[in-house]
Amino acid sequence: MGGHQVEVVRAVRHLMRGIGLIDAKELVTGAPSILLEQVPAPEAEAAREKLEDAGATVELL
């Protein structure tokens, strides 16, 4: 992730509405983390794209 950490934290906060900055940063720095569970495929793909655009590495399970 390197220099993209701030962008990834912003993307995580956008995807997980209601999460605070500190919680989002802990999820990012403690990767690998599960961010979304049991979401429809189109929503999962949109989240993957947003996170990858921010500089994260994403794996859909």
Side-chain angles (χ1 to χ4, degrees):
M1 182 172 4
H4 299 286
Q5 183 174 356
V6 172
E7 290 86 2
V8 175
V9 169
R10 286 182 185 147
V12 168
R13 287 191 70 202
H14 178 73
L15 292 171
M16 301 179 72
R17 292 184 177 23
I19 190 171
L21 178 61
I22 293 172
D23 293 330
K25 185 177 179 191
E26 287 175 358
L27 283 171
V28 171
T29 58
S33 301
I34 296 174
L35 301 180
L36 301 171
E37 291 184 288
Q38 298 180 348
V39 296
E43 185 178 338
E45 285 297 327
R48 180 190 59 80
E49 185 176 319
K50 183 164 189 66
L51 289 165
E52 286 181 343
D53 287 347
T57 302
V58 178
E59 180 180 351
L60 299 178
L61 303 174

